Amino acid sequence: MTIDPRQAPPKAALRFERKLSKPSVHPYDTVQWVRRDARIQEPSGKIVFEQLGVEFPESWSQTAVNVVTSKYFRGALGTSERETSLRQVIDRVAGTVARWGREDGYFENDDAETFEQELRTLLLDQSACFNSPVWFNVGIFERPQCSACFINSVEDSMSSIMKLAETEALLFKFGSGTGSNLSTLRGSEEPLSGGGTSSGPVSFMRGYDSFAGVVKSGGRTRRAAKMVILDADHPDIVEFIECKETEERKAWALIEQGYDGGFNVPGGAYDSVFFQNANHSVRVSDEFMEAVEEDAEWATKARTDGSEMGRYPARELLQKIAQSTWVCGDPGMQFDTVINRWHTCKESGRINSSNPCSEYMFLDDTACNLASLNLLRFETPDGGFDAERFVHVCEVVITAQEILVDRASYPTEKIEANSHLYRPLGLGYANLGALLMRRGQPYDSDEGRATAAAITALLSGSAYRQSGRIAAAKGAFAGFEENRSSMTKVMEMHRDAALDLEASLPDVVNAARLAWQDTVSASEDAGLRNSQISVLAPTGTIAFMMDCDTTGVEPDIGLVKYKMLVGGGTLKIVNHSVETALERLGYDQSAIRSILDHIEENDTIEGAEDLDPEHLAVFDCAFKAARGTRSIHHMGHLKMLASVQPFISGAISKTINLPEHSSVEDIADTYLEAWRLGLKAVAIYRDGCKRSQPLSLDKKDASADAQVLATAAPAEQRRKLPDERQAITHKFSVGGQEGYITVGLYEDGQPGEIFLVMAKEGSAISGLMDVFATSVSIALQSGVPLRTLIRKFSHVRFEPSGFTSNKRIPMAKSTVDYIFRWLGSKFLEPEEQEALGVLPEPEATSASAPTSQPETPLEPVTTSQPETFVNDQDAPPCSECGTIMIRSGACYHCPSCGATSGCG
């Protein structure tokens, strides 16, 4: 169904005031423009993208220049059609949106000009940014695809099942993400009308996954972005829960047989198994979670007639979910009752599914275009928050998003019809973590959560109030009257949550409460123009365009970052947020300089002499520093999500990272707590659970180690141990396989040889262990630093693996992994042990362990910049530039070129 937005004349055009721009000054004349070269390189130095002499404001970073030029400049490289200036890109988007607004009756004459210049200004000064499809397509195509997020339905028929495959393929081709709930499909034990039994949804998932793997996303090499959901009462729920874990274990077996363990490797281990192109989630109700708490049974039901198909202890099902998550990071969980309690259009149907990252949740066959605000652009010099400017930018951006709805193209007739009927939008923000740090508020603190909640409440309240004004001018969305009751009820729920806000930012809280009261009044009166207004997306690529330090709702990942230089190369700097935070916490310039010098030298604030220990939490980050011990606890992440969820129309894209040594029970407890806190969805990732090895590490690590071996010491200078020497013998068990390691020591207590016993004399394993131990011993005696060997062989994966008998190393990926992490626990400093994943001693007994100063520093992970924090050990390399990526929500983003593995 296509609706002409110009059919009905507006009741009253929208009014806009100039708060960002000046009538007599063009926004472009307010900044200094410079010419730069945009260049993206692989870690090896190979140039993968280059455009010389592009024009940008001087204040934009080189990273932003590289990302915007490579991603958003249109036209073939080397042709006259290629865009060469940011002016052209902003004019293309802002100018087109403003023209459509005029033509479609949103405003008239002077107000249209004001709107256009205000939009151009806030894009120029990096206050806000649209999602990538807008930059790709607006001003290029007559009816551009503007949405990044889609939800598709499927019916229990072969034609519908195949139609979904076609729709998904088209979405992947143009770089968008999609999600579907397959619970409508009958189970594998249910009969077919023509005889026989159904193959079940998991079997069709294999086909969908194969198509996604072939099409990829955006025509590039990165994986497609896709979500698959199954309800907990589906007859095949156990098969669904375990299907990705089963494939993960197949990949392990292939890796052990020599297949490449990297991502995006044709014919590699992960390329040879199913379900690697999708995120999986189990949809559960309050009834299911209450059954878990009460240790009650849970029934699954047939899709054909509703009859009971099976019964399981609810706790057993949750345990299975946690077990599979422990192994491979899937499935996540979505809490159906909470989702539909906050549903604004209950009369039009249930919310069954989400987009791939779980932030957009709405009716089947709908789409959402996103935009995000850069919170640091609203910080005042004294550390406050400019609520008035923030409200104005929300109003301008949400109006622009609303204008796009009728002018955009959609992949199916259903999605197009529903987009016009319900007009869902997704406004969000980035840089929350940086803002909190600059304010001197720990991310995991009551005051940090109060600040986040207040800003989120103001964002959604202001956007919905503007939606009410647009409804007064253009009419409410077509499905409003049918859903007036549920719309008003949910607006009242948001308003009531705003009344409970803590007054950490009084101006923001008061403005938020007023906005929500106005929204409730608008809903009761002329109605609202948009059924949904906000989400918190991962903001991967667009965060680079806004020069954000942190993405979405995330905290900072580390206190040190590497700034790309105009002439190439990088410069190591301490994040600017740290200095601002120290100033606002009351430190003088001498102490600040001392602390910054300590961070620059050690890549961590821990141990800085001039820092008050009470302030350490302010500088806690998502990842642990390579030489540090602190990071934000996973419950701190959950509590932050719970504080902002009541003010978001959709949900929040964020993965909760748990340490590698976390147990299945830890994961199950985290899922339970997420539900108790009122979250709509949660995804959990246990660090290091995948056995993939980033391709960009192997070759360069090998060459670095070869250089160490070649230059360490000539053979004739080999330092042998004395005939009589001290030794340590240690018994261990990895995955039930027992063994012994004996370490011979030099007079100074340092290791000079090792002996390994793991099987009967004469067996293949015994022979291999002997050869391996001899090789390590010769390396030690020839001057190879122990740290180099530990760095190389820790976290090597093969069977046997699993639980160990050592409480400091509870899990090992292989016997070799265990041996070298145990050596680290005996001979390295405590902070180095922590970086290896070795737990601290229960009591202070480390003084008796032999230690030494490093002969040479550990070899850094080979990325485009040195490693300053402990990233996910199995994060994939960027498919465009090869840099190791960083987890962002349920996906990954590249810190070098801005590419994402998701739908942003």
Side-chain angles (χ1 to χ4, degrees):
M1 181 179 78
T2 302
I3 296 176
D4 186 343
R6 291 159 287 186
Q7 286 179 349
K11 302 173 184 177
L14 295 173
R15 303 303 305 271
F16 281 93
E17 298 179 13
R18 286 186 183 266
K19 296 186 178 181
L20 308 176
S21 61
K22 297 179 181 179
S24 58
V25 181
H26 194 284
Y28 296 156
D29 295 334
T30 64
V31 300
Q32 182 69 40
W33 294 84
V34 294
R35 291 282 177 181
R36 297 191 198 167
D37 295 339
R39 184 180 295 110
I40 294 174
Q41 296 174 274
E42 292 181 349
S44 64
K46 177 183 177 182
I47 295 176
V48 296
F49 173 84
E50 184 176 63
Q51 185 174 351
L52 306 180
V54 294
E55 186 183 37
F56 277 82
E58 188 175 32
S59 61
W60 282 46
S61 73
Q62 186 63 35
T63 299
V65 170
N66 292 346
V67 169
V68 173
T69 304
S70 63
K71 308 295 182 194
Y72 299 148
F73 277 26
R74 299 295 89 188
L77 274 170
T79 68
S80 59
E81 288 77 22
R82 178 73 177 183
E83 291 172 333
T84 60
S85 171
L86 180 68
R87 303 176 198 243
Q88 295 169 291
V89 180
I90 292 179
D91 282 345
R92 170 165 57 81
V93 172
T96 300
V97 172
R99 175 170 58 82
W100 288 344
R102 290 187 189 92
E103 293 173 354
D104 297 350
Y106 283 86
F107 27 64
E108 299 173 348
N109 301 327
D110 292 344
D111 288 303
E113 174 67 18
T114 298
F115 170 82
E116 182 174 354
Q117 296 299 71
E118 294 290 280
L119 179 59
R120 187 176 274 111
T121 301
L122 66 88
L123 294 174
L124 181 67
D125 72 9
Q126 300 173 300
S127 291
C129 190
F130 297 108
N131 62 199
S132 292
V134 169
W135 299 105
F136 290 154
N137 303 319
V138 170
I140 302 295
F141 304 105
E142 183 179 351
R143 291 183 62 82
Q145 181 175 307
C146 298
S147 299
C149 304
F150 292 83
I151 297 172
N152 291 290
S153 66
V154 61
E155 298 174 2
D156 190 29
S157 69
M158 188 57 67
S159 61
S160 179
I161 291 169
M162 293 297 102
K163 181 64 177 177
L164 176 59
E166 177 188 358
T167 301
E168 288 187 342
L170 292 173
L171 290 172
F172 298 150
K173 178 181 178 181
F174 294 105
S176 294
T178 176
S180 297
N181 189 322
L182 303 186
S183 299
T184 52
L185 306 185
R186 68 189 73 191
S188 57
E189 296 183 2
E190 294 186 65
L192 296 171
S193 58
T197 57
S198 168
S199 56
V202 175
S203 65
F204 290 112
M205 284 164 53
R206 293 187 175 91
Y208 294 143
D209 182 74
S210 295
F211 277 121
V214 170
V215 176
K216 295 298 181 183
S217 186
R220 299 182 180 272
T221 56
R222 69 179 173 93
R223 73 177 179 87
K226 173 178 167 62
M227 171 67 78
V228 181
I229 298 169
L230 204 70
D231 295 346
D233 66 351
H234 192 280
D236 292 349
I237 188 61
V238 172
E239 183 185 7
F240 176 80
I241 291 169
E242 296 177 343
C243 68
K244 202 163 184 177
E245 175 188 354
T246 300
E247 297 300 310
E248 180 71 24
R249 294 186 184 279
K250 290 179 183 177
W252 296 355
L254 290 171
I255 293 170
E256 289 159 13
Q257 294 300 314
Y259 285 82
D260 198 312
F263 283 101
N264 295 322
V265 179
Y270 284 97
D271 187 57
S272 305
V273 299
F274 288 109
F275 311 132
Q276 302 307 301
N277 298 296
N279 300 321
H280 292 183
S281 284
V282 176
R283 181 68 75 101
V284 299
S285 61
D286 278 2
E287 184 183 6
F288 173 85
M289 299 304 291
E290 289 163 0
V292 171
E293 289 190 314
E294 298 166 5
D295 198 16
E297 287 197 330
W298 179 254
T300 59
K301 299 176 181 178
R303 268 33 202 170
T304 49
D305 59 13
S307 61
E308 184 175 307
M309 294 289 291
R311 297 190 73 83
Y312 303 89
R315 285 186 184 175
E316 180 182 306
L317 285 179
L318 181 61
Q319 191 77 0
K320 287 181 181 294
I321 294 170
Q323 167 65 30
S324 290
T325 302
W326 188 93
V327 170
C328 63
D330 275 295
M333 295 188 73
Q334 297 187 356
F335 304 109
D336 183 82
T337 308
V338 179
I339 292 168
N340 281 285
R341 183 182 303 133
W342 289 87
H343 184 17
T344 57
C345 295
K346 295 180 177 67
E347 296 302 317
S348 297
R350 303 183 76 263
I351 296 178
N352 299 308
S353 189
S354 74
N355 74 318
C357 294
S358 292
E359 75 267 22
Y360 174 56
M361 296 180 168
F362 195 49
L363 297 167
D364 288 344
D365 299 305
T366 57
C368 186
N369 73 69
L370 314 178
S372 292
L373 275 59
N374 178 358
L375 294 183
L376 283 190
R377 289 294 182 267
F378 306 96
E379 181 187 34
T380 59
D382 61 354
F385 193 83
D386 191 339
E388 182 180 358
R389 185 173 186 273
F390 185 74
V391 168
H392 178 68
V393 172
C394 286
E395 292 171 353
V396 174
V397 175
I398 205 69
T399 302
Q401 290 177 269
E402 154 62 22
I403 291 170
L404 290 171
V405 172
D406 287 317
R407 292 301 189 120
S409 65
Y410 302 93
T412 70
E413 291 183 1
K414 283 185 178 180
I415 293 176
E416 181 174 7
N418 286 334
S419 294
H420 295 304
L421 283 171
Y422 304 104
R423 315 181 75 82
L425 301 175
L427 185 63
Y429 55 67
N431 247 345
L432 174 67
L435 179 71
L436 294 180
M437 186 179 293
R438 291 168 68 91
R439 288 174 54 81
Q441 296 177 328
Y443 187 87
D444 185 8
S445 68
D446 290 340
E447 57 266 35
R449 289 186 281 270
T451 296
I455 291 172
T456 311
L458 183 58
L459 175 124
S460 293
S462 300
Y464 258 132
R465 178 172 57 193
Q466 182 68 4
S467 180
R469 292 170 181 156
I470 300 172
K474 298 283 293 178
F477 68 89
F480 177 80
E481 281 304 328
E482 179 185 14
N483 292 283
R484 179 184 285 272
S485 176
S486 60
M487 280 292 305
T488 303
K489 175 62 178 176
V490 172
M491 296 306 105
E492 291 172 345
M493 291 165 64
H494 287 303
R495 178 202 59 192
D496 294 346
L499 294 176
D500 291 334
L501 285 169
E502 297 179 18
S504 63
L505 288 169
D507 292 345
V508 175
V509 170
N510 291 336
R513 289 171 177 166
L514 177 61
W516 280 112
Q517 186 55 58
D518 290 345
T519 297
V520 171
S521 298
S523 183
E524 293 171 340
D525 187 14
L528 300 172
R529 182 67 169 174
N530 310 98
S531 58
Q532 287 201 355
I533 213 74
S534 58
V535 303
L536 287 182
T539 64
T541 305
I542 66 172
F544 289 94
M545 186 171 184
M546 294 187 290
D547 272 321
C548 294
D549 290 324
T550 62
T551 61
V553 74
E554 298 284 356
D556 211 335
I557 61 172
L559 299 182
V560 174
K561 65 179 179 181
Y562 286 80
K563 180 180 180 180
M564 291 187 180
L565 302 178
V566 175
T570 58
L571 174 67
K572 177 180 176 180
I573 61 171
V574 178
N575 287 354
H576 295 305
S577 301
V578 177
E579 183 174 1
T580 304
L582 291 170
E583 290 174 352
R584 290 174 179 163
L585 288 170
Y587 290 86
D588 60 32
Q589 287 302 309
S590 175
I592 291 173
R593 187 68 263 161
S594 173
I595 294 169
L596 294 178
D597 288 344
H598 176 89
I599 297 172
E600 187 168 356
E601 181 179 351
N602 298 281
D603 297 332
T604 177
I605 201 169
E606 297 175 53
E609 293 182 0
D610 292 294
L611 183 73
D612 187 334
E614 292 185 358
H615 293 152
L616 270 173
V618 172
F619 305 98
D620 283 346
C621 297
F623 294 126
K624 181 172 53 183
R627 299 184 185 179
T629 61
R630 297 176 62 95
S631 62
I632 297 170
H633 191 272
H634 65 271
M635 286 306 303
H637 294 273
L638 277 184
K639 290 177 182 178
M640 178 58 78
L641 299 188
S643 70
V644 300
Q645 182 61 81
F647 307 106
I648 295 293
S649 294
I652 308 162
S653 174
K654 182 166 174 38
T655 298
I656 308 301
N657 278 59
L658 266 65
E660 183 179 359
H661 57 77
S662 301
S663 66
V664 173
E665 288 70 24
D666 292 335
I667 293 175
D669 289 343
T670 303
Y671 279 134
L672 263 171
E673 190 62 24
W675 168 69
R676 290 169 180 151
L677 288 171
L679 300 185
K680 293 182 178 180
V682 66
I684 295 173
Y685 190 83
R686 182 179 64 86
D687 291 342
C689 67
K690 291 275 187 182
R691 296 198 176 184
S692 59
Q693 295 295 328
L695 297 178
S696 58
L697 298 185
D698 300 340
K699 185 181 294 185
K700 209 160 182 180
D701 276 356
S703 62
D705 287 337
Q707 185 175 2
V708 170
L709 290 171
T711 61
E716 60 269 18
Q717 295 182 9
R718 178 177 166 190
R719 180 190 174 198
K720 295 186 178 181
L721 281 83
D723 291 340
E724 290 188 5
R725 77 289 302 261
Q726 296 292 320
I728 302 173
T729 299
H730 172 68
K731 180 182 179 180
F732 62 88
S733 174
V734 176
Q737 174 70 54
E738 293 186 347
Y740 296 84
I741 177 173
T742 298
V743 183
L745 306 175
Y746 288 111
E747 294 90 336
D748 60 2
Q750 291 305 298
E753 65 183 359
I754 67 170
F755 299 93
L756 296 170
V757 178
M758 286 204 53
K760 292 182 180 180
E761 188 73 24
S763 68
I765 293 178
S766 176
L768 288 171
M769 287 295 111
D770 285 343
V771 171
F772 180 67
T774 300
S775 300
V776 172
S777 300
I778 293 174
L780 288 171
Q781 294 168 26
S782 299
V784 177
L786 176 63
R787 284 161 181 78
T788 300
L789 296 172
I790 290 173
R791 184 70 177 84
K792 184 63 181 176
F793 292 111
S794 293
H795 304 295
V796 170
R797 301 174 184 270
F798 58 83
E799 296 297 334
S801 65
F803 293 103
T804 79
S805 54
N806 188 338
K807 292 183 179 179
R808 298 189 65 197
I809 311 173
M811 294 291 299
K813 300 166 186 173
S814 65
T815 51
V816 170
D817 171 41
Y818 178 85
I819 288 165
F820 281 90
R821 288 166 70 197
W822 176 81
L823 286 170
S825 75
K826 287 295 181 183
F827 299 101
L828 298 185
E829 298 289 351
E831 60 269 20
E832 296 173 286
Q833 299 174 22
E834 183 73 19
L836 290 171
V838 177
L839 302 181
E841 291 277 9
E843 298 178 2
T845 60
S846 58
S848 61
T851 60
S852 69
Q853 294 300 314
E855 300 90 336
T856 59
L858 286 176
E859 292 296 326
V861 172
T862 307
T863 64
S864 59
Q865 58 198 35
E867 184 182 70
T868 60
F869 54 84
V870 182
N871 192 5
D872 300 326
Q873 297 165 7
D874 47 13
C878 174
S879 61
E880 298 191 23
C881 74
T883 300
I884 302 305
M885 302 182 84
I886 295 170
R887 184 167 282 276
S888 178
C891 304
Y892 292 93
H893 75 266
C894 176
S896 180
C897 74
T900 69
S901 66
C903 55

